[in-house]
């Protein structure tokens, strides 16, 4: 529970009044029925401690990702793994993009790390470009945090550029933390997992939250060939940190390949529709390859939508963004229509 701390993320629909949530980028179809059945079937075993090594889940992840099971560590959501990573590495200096997901800097500052920002600009739709390589070599931080596709922009980093970043990091002994939590729902996003064996400084973050609509059960995992780092991270979390229900849900989710395919088809159809409608209002929309859109509209739009029971993500707390920037999830067409209709009503159109 948060005591006296502001929740910086979307998805808080519990204060009352929200009937349609566009603030959290989870699967528009919700949780796969097969995952719900698996959780129900695991309920009678709640009296037992969960497997502390997540054996069945790790085997399922290794098969799904095509990686060595020794490269896998599971956690109670991606957020736990971010904080465990920061505590295990304890870099004195780190570089992250702006805007990007806020938990990286929060986890880093908790261990006394000085966090520097590399600012992306709307002039090129917040894309990461070659100049970043020069900046990286000039500053040589101890760790670099990247998100692919980036959150909240939805912009993918070119695989060729990522490989160059990886090579610089290996040469200069820099830890590279790469968040791929949204990659499975992106358009043709390429994972860097093929480089894990030869680049022990590479750390990939994954989660079940977005792809499988499992935000409430808290389950994530990471991929890394540095066994010492994974052991150090394991020491930073509590015993039995992944519940038996979460483990059962994860194993079942990884069988849902058709569900993922269906979700991507919906996103690829609905995202351009939403983008077109938002641009018709005169809003600036960042081209996205993910299941969410970043756009610039009138200040206070989020509050006016909330009065109608619709939540969108106000992005003015992201470094590099200001009031008037918002992020919305891509949802099912009937829900997207309600959002667009509500915005049109607010604008008097």
């Amino acid at each position: 529970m948060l005591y006296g701390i502001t929740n910086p993320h979307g998805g808080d629909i519990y204060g009352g009044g929200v009937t349609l949530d566009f603030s959290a980028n989870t699967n528009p179809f919700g949780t796969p029925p097969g995952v719900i059945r698996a959780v129900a079937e695991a309920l009678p075993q709640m009296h037992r401690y969960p497997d502390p090594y997540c054996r069945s889940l790790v085997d399922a992840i290794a098969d799904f990702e095509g990686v060595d099971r020794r490269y896998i560590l599971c956690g109670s959501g991606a957020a736990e793994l971010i904080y465990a990573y920061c505590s295990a590495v304890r870099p004195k200096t780190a570089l992250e993009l702006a805007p990007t997901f806020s938990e990286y800097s929060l986890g880093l500052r908790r261990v006394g790390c000085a966090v520097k920002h590399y600012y992306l600009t709307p002039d090129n739709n917040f894309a990461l470009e070659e100049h970043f390589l020069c900046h990286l070599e000039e500053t040589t931080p101890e760790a670099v945090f990247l998100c692919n596709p980036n959150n909240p922009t939805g912009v993918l980093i070119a695989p060729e550029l990522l490989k160059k970043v990886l090579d610089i990091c290996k040469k200069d002994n820099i830890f590279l933390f790469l968040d791929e939590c949204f990659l499975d729902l992106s358009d043709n996003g390429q994972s860097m997992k093929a480089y894990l064996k030869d680049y022990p400084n590479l750390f990939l973050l994954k989660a079940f939250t977005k792809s499988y609509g499992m935000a409430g059960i808290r389950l994530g995992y990471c991929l890394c060939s540095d066994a010492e780092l994974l052991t150090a991270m394991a020491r930073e979390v509590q015993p039995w940190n992944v519940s038996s229900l979460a483990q059962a849900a994860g194993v079942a989710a990884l069988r849902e390949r058709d569900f993922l395919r269906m979700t991507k088809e919906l996103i690829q159809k609905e995202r351009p529709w939403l983008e077109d409608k938002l641009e018709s209002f005169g809003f600036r929309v960042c081209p996205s390859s993910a299941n969410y859109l970043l756009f610039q509209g009138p200040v206070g739009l989020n509050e006016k939508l909330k009065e109608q029971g619709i939540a969108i993500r106000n992005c003015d707390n992201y470094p590099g963004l200001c009031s008037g920037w918002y992020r919305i999830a891509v949802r099912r067409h009937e829900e997207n229509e309600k959002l667009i209709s509500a915005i049109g009503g607010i604008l008097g159109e």
Side-chain angles (χ1 to χ4, degrees):
M1 179 177 176
L2 292 175
Y3 288 92
I5 300 173
T6 301
N7 171 38
H9 305 295
D12 185 5
I13 61 171
Y14 303 99
V18 175
T19 57
L20 190 54
D21 184 18
F22 281 84
S23 69
N25 307 327
T26 54
N27 195 299
F29 291 116
T31 310
V35 172
I36 295 173
R37 284 195 300 271
V39 172
E41 291 168 1
L43 287 173
Q45 299 300 316
M46 281 179 60
H47 65 288
R48 301 184 185 278
Y49 282 102
D51 178 359
Y53 301 103
C54 302
R55 294 173 177 89
S56 295
L57 178 57
V58 166
D59 287 342
I61 293 171
D63 180 65
F64 179 83
E65 297 285 3
V67 301
D68 192 317
R69 69 185 315 279
R70 294 173 298 178
Y71 295 0
I72 301 166
L73 180 67
C74 298
S76 178
E80 181 182 59
L81 293 169
I82 293 171
Y83 281 79
Y85 179 88
C86 294
S87 295
V89 174
R90 292 190 172 272
K92 293 182 176 61
T93 59
L95 178 65
E96 69 173 19
L97 304 181
T100 199
F101 187 50
S102 63
E103 291 300 327
Y104 312 143
S105 59
L106 292 173
L108 288 163
R109 291 186 175 116
R110 179 182 284 189
V111 297
C113 179
V115 182
K116 302 296 183 181
H117 291 109
Y118 181 86
Y119 285 90
L120 306 172
T121 70
D123 296 339
N124 65 344
N125 293 316
F126 299 101
L128 188 67
E129 297 182 335
E130 290 278 331
H131 180 264
F132 179 74
L133 301 175
C134 299
H135 184 81
L136 180 58
E137 293 205 271
E138 289 171 0
T139 57
T140 58
E142 292 183 31
V144 176
F145 282 67
L146 298 176
C147 185
N148 191 40
N150 194 22
N151 178 14
T153 66
V155 177
L156 284 165
I157 304 173
E160 300 81 10
L161 180 57
L162 269 179
K163 180 58 168 57
K164 292 177 182 178
V165 171
L166 184 55
D167 286 334
I168 291 173
C169 288
K170 184 176 183 178
K171 174 176 65 73
D172 294 338
N173 295 313
I174 298 171
F175 289 95
L176 177 56
F177 180 107
L178 183 58
D179 185 341
E180 294 186 345
C181 286
F182 289 102
L183 197 67
D184 288 343
L185 293 182
S186 70
D187 298 347
N188 304 314
Q190 297 181 33
S191 174
M192 296 293 283
K193 61 187 176 184
Y195 298 104
L196 287 168
K197 182 178 180 180
D198 296 327
Y199 293 82
N201 62 316
L202 174 63
F203 179 95
L204 302 180
L205 182 69
K206 305 276 285 188
F208 291 82
T209 304
K210 318 301 182 183
S211 299
Y212 302 102
M214 290 167 49
I217 208 162
R218 312 308 304 136
L219 181 61
Y221 62 95
C222 62
L223 307 175
C224 184
S225 64
D226 186 342
E228 291 185 6
L229 173 58
L230 295 183
T231 299
M233 288 178 60
R235 293 194 183 105
E236 296 295 331
V237 300
Q238 62 177 319
W240 308 293
N241 61 318
V242 182
S243 73
S244 55
L245 301 183
Q247 292 185 40
V251 171
L254 294 174
R255 303 190 191 109
E256 297 284 349
R257 296 176 188 263
D258 288 340
F259 183 83
L260 269 187
R261 191 178 306 112
M262 177 180 68
T263 303
K264 288 185 68 172
E265 289 174 355
L266 176 75
I267 292 166
Q268 289 168 0
K269 180 180 179 181
E270 290 298 317
R271 190 183 60 230
W273 185 88
L274 274 171
E275 184 175 356
D276 181 65
K277 295 297 182 182
L278 291 171
E279 288 179 340
S280 72
F281 293 136
F283 297 170
R284 180 173 191 163
V285 183
C286 178
S288 171
S289 296
N291 60 316
Y292 46 92
L293 284 168
L294 178 71
F295 70 93
Q296 189 176 28
V299 174
L301 178 64
N302 58 309
E303 294 297 337
K304 292 179 180 178
L305 284 170
K306 192 172 182 180
E307 292 173 1
Q308 300 185 41
I310 300 175
I312 64 173
R313 177 67 160 89
N314 180 17
C315 293
D316 64 1
N317 67 325
Y318 280 91
L321 296 178
C322 59
S323 296
W325 282 99
Y326 307 99
R327 189 196 65 201
I328 57 169
V330 177
R331 302 198 57 81
R332 289 172 292 176
H333 188 69
E334 59 272 22
E335 295 172 312
N336 297 333
E337 283 186 318
K338 289 178 181 178
L339 171 65
I340 295 301
S341 176
I343 294 175
I346 292 169
L347 299 177
E349 296 185 13

